[in-house]
Amino acid sequence: MIDLAQLRREPEFVKAALARRGVELSTMDEIIGLDAEHRQLLQEAERLRAEVKELSRQVGEARRNNEEDKAEELTSTSRELGDQERMASQRVDAVAQDLREKLLMIPNIPAPDVPDGRDENDNVETRRWWVGMDQGAAFPTYAAHQRVPHWDIGIELGILDLESGAKLAGSMFPLYRGAGARLLRSLGFFALNAHMADYEEIRPPSFALTETMMSTGHLPKSVDDMYAIERDDLWAIPTAEVPLTSMNRDEILEESQLPLRLTAQTACFRREAGAAGRDTRGLLRVHEFDKVELFAYCTPDQAEAAHADILARAEGLLQALGLTYRVLDLCTGDLGTSSARTVDLEVFSPGVDRWLEVSSVSWFRDFQARRANVRYRTAAGTTALVHTVNGSALAWARIWAALVETYRLSDGSVKLPDVLAPYMGDQLTITKKGS
RNA sequence: GGAGGGAUGACAGAGCGGCCGAAUGUACCGGUCUUGAAAACCGGCGUGGGCUUGCCCACCGUGGGUUCAAAUCCCACUCCCUCCGCCA
């Protein structure tokens, strides 16, 4: 949620910044108007309430002095004022709710250096990485045997069974088997081991309350992309960011605890309602995938370094896996609701011949902290909202795809990179059954 | 799922419907004393919001209700603890 006080203080700045993301000026003016109305009504209601309280106090005093007539008179005056106060408060509540609903739909103010743009086509590619690049090697050329899409490799090697997945849960719910399932497990283990020295490992619930989903900004705006378990008023989490952000909801952290860094691997559920029919083949876009998330609560001063650390870790894993990737600076039009700045990592999939998003590293400023009410006590003794930063490292379904394509050999088998040897053991090379 | 008990400030723990935003203790911060420290003593010590910056308002698990007035009474819900049942 954006800062109402800031909107009051510098409305033109906020409006201009949000206009870059396509927020209508009239929407902001409406909010400014509601805020003014709210405060005016609030004053009136509070004035009445103060009077009722004062009269009530006097009633008690009169009773103690056995002044029954006076008490009776004060009571009836107070009763009348009380009725007025109730009505005034109802008006306050109505406006406050309206204001809050509108405010929840407003996205975060983008960082000044976020490039302008309408959609993902305007994202700015800042750099690429591939094996041997630092030694001057040219961008890799992929051989014909690497130009096979992972869904074909999956069937050929018996490690990805999309049909069974569809049979169980519908399309876009993948089922991995054998070495394919083990590869997925290995990737999570590999990443968590890499982070655990500096990030506390968390295993959160896979479902969250509505309130929890609100704190990250996934609700109310993206309702259609979330899986709902209506009977129990729960939602399937779309990312570990949701539980991690709310872990310290309504709490005040000590500045000495910051940055508080957490990591978690969870299943991530996404309905992909707006993407029906797009990129549906194989693992390009699925309803459920595993992802390791890195997360930090920090002070404003620590945010930049925390963001850089997460990005470096995500890149470090991609480099360790020897996958080609590129780094994108997301434009204003493609930024997630809650984010002030996001850097995406896209891995190159030679078999599909496309770049696939496998990480999104975001700085939310205090936008999520304001919703979740996560604060810290400063050295001066005051409280302030924390900044939240998070990023994937990494989302495994697409990594799985890029790995089996990149490391496919001419005989059709897949020889995975050595970093996975501790986890894959004797299955580092995946061959056709019976061959 | 059934029965009972509980939820108050950082923690512990009081609180006949009316000067209760809340006693007291501990912790914490400052001061006196001391060579220093401890002890003792003195003072301070919740979070938000509004505006005329001095005041006002809200918050005692959550949401309703009763009342001139609710931490205190009533109703519903949530969570925690104990016991029973079921169960990976």
Side-chain angles (χ1 to χ4, degrees):
Chain A
M1 195 151 64
I2 60 163
D3 182 9
L4 249 187
Q6 184 189 17
L7 179 60
R8 261 177 235 151
R9 220 182 313 115
E10 35 188 19
E12 295 315 315
F13 167 80
V14 175
K15 283 198 276 187
L18 289 173
R20 293 180 61 208
R21 309 192 48 161
V23 177
E24 302 280 345
L25 292 182
S26 60
T27 308
M28 296 316 293
D29 286 332
E30 204 176 343
I31 287 175
I32 291 170
L34 279 172
D35 176 47
E37 188 185 352
H38 175 247
R39 279 181 296 158
Q40 196 197 328
L41 291 171
L42 187 64
Q43 277 180 57
E44 172 67 5
E46 288 191 348
R47 188 184 61 75
L48 285 165
R49 200 169 309 144
E51 258 181 87
V52 170
K53 283 179 71 168
E54 173 58 20
L55 286 170
S56 294
R57 196 189 60 77
Q58 290 177 19
V59 170
E61 197 175 277
R63 283 268 158 76
R64 271 191 298 280
N65 298 335
N66 291 315
E67 299 170 306
E68 273 310 314
D69 292 351
K70 188 178 174 191
E72 206 45 56
E73 193 187 321
L74 289 166
T75 298
S76 67
T77 311
S78 180
R79 193 179 298 150
E80 276 171 41
L81 284 173
D83 288 341
Q84 289 179 39
E85 188 273 334
R86 246 182 298 284
M87 288 190 290
S89 289
Q90 274 171 18
R91 284 196 293 273
V92 173
D93 291 345
V95 174
Q97 197 189 332
D98 193 12
L99 176 62
R100 183 176 161 74
E101 277 168 15
K102 292 211 162 54
L103 212 49
L104 282 174
M105 298 303 280
I106 303 300
N108 200 356
I109 292 169
D113 49 351
V114 170
D116 281 304
R118 287 176 60 87
D119 54 36
E120 71 267 19
N121 297 312
D122 295 324
N123 293 337
V124 176
E125 182 180 324
T126 52
R127 60 180 190 278
R128 292 184 179 190
W129 185 92
W130 57 86
V131 172
M133 185 188 76
D134 34 348
Q135 271 92 52
F139 189 81
T141 50
Y142 291 90
H145 60 261
Q146 293 172 294
R147 293 294 190 174
V148 178
H150 60 274
W151 49 86
D152 289 339
I153 300 172
I155 292 171
E156 193 176 68
L157 299 180
I159 55 176
L160 179 66
D161 185 350
L162 296 170
E163 276 183 37
S164 290
K167 183 173 165 184
L168 300 171
S171 69
M172 296 166 73
F173 278 97
L175 183 149
Y176 304 84
R177 57 197 310 166
R182 184 171 182 180
L183 172 55
L184 208 56
R185 170 162 60 94
S186 298
L187 290 168
F189 209 161
F190 160 65
L192 287 169
N193 277 3
H195 305 317
M196 63 187 290
D198 301 302
Y199 289 73
E200 184 187 357
E201 187 173 340
I202 304 293
R203 176 60 209 232
S206 304
F207 302 137
L209 299 167
T210 299
E211 196 183 348
T212 307
M213 296 288 284
M214 287 273 196
S215 64
T216 42
H218 289 92
L219 289 179
K221 213 170 177 179
S222 309
V223 211
D224 293 338
D225 273 318
M226 305 300 144
Y227 280 99
I229 295 137
E230 287 181 51
R231 193 166 73 160
D232 296 297
D233 192 28
L234 288 169
W235 304 81
I237 57 170
T239 158
E241 168 192 342
V242 171
L244 294 182
T245 303
S246 278
M247 250 179 78
N248 289 298
R249 186 164 70 214
D250 294 324
E251 289 184 22
I252 299 175
L253 305 169
E254 293 304 322
E255 186 167 356
S256 59
Q257 290 176 265
L258 305 178
L260 182 56
R261 305 199 281 186
L262 308 171
T263 182
Q265 170 164 280
T266 66
C268 302
F269 301 92
R270 302 190 177 178
R271 291 186 69 231
E272 303 290 355
R278 269 174 63 197
D279 313 329
T280 50
R281 296 216 63 180
L283 298 171
L284 295 182
R285 185 180 295 277
V286 287
H287 288 314
E288 179 183 347
F289 60 94
D290 290 334
K291 174 162 70 63
V292 167
E293 189 76 1
L294 292 169
F295 181 95
Y297 296 99
C298 47
T299 67
D301 288 345
Q302 295 166 342
E304 194 178 336
H307 186 268
D309 184 63
I310 293 173
L311 182 62
R313 283 169 177 275
E315 286 194 62
L317 294 182
L318 286 167
Q319 292 177 12
L321 291 170
L323 296 173
T324 300
Y325 67 90
R326 64 177 185 178
V327 183
L328 299 178
D329 201 352
L330 293 205
C331 73
T332 50
D334 200 28
L335 219 50
T337 303
S338 306
S339 180
R341 148 159 246 122
T342 296
V343 174
D344 272 6
L345 297 179
E346 294 187 341
V347 75
F348 185 68
S349 149
V352 185
D353 195 26
R354 283 188 36 191
W355 297 93
L356 307 177
E357 181 187 336
V358 292
S359 179
S360 205
V361 185
S362 300
W363 168 46
F364 301 95
R365 221 184 240 117
D366 59 11
F367 188 90
Q368 294 180 325
R370 182 168 293 105
R371 290 192 181 200
N373 192 29
V374 183
R375 291 167 295 169
Y376 70 100
R377 198 172 300 282
T378 64
T382 59
T383 58
L385 293 165
V386 300
H387 277 205
T388 55
V389 171
N390 73 41
S392 358
L394 295 157
W396 301 126
R398 291 170 181 167
I399 293 289
W400 191 101
L403 278 172
V404 300
E405 293 169 5
T406 302
Y407 291 103
R408 187 167 185 267
L409 306 176
S410 53
D411 67 359
S413 64
V414 169
K415 167 100 172 54
L416 294 167
D418 289 338
V419 287
L420 293 175
Y423 313 105
M424 290 302 288
D426 58 5
Q427 283 182 304
L428 201 59
T429 299
I430 306 173
T431 52
K432 231 178 288 188
K433 272 209 189 90
S435 71

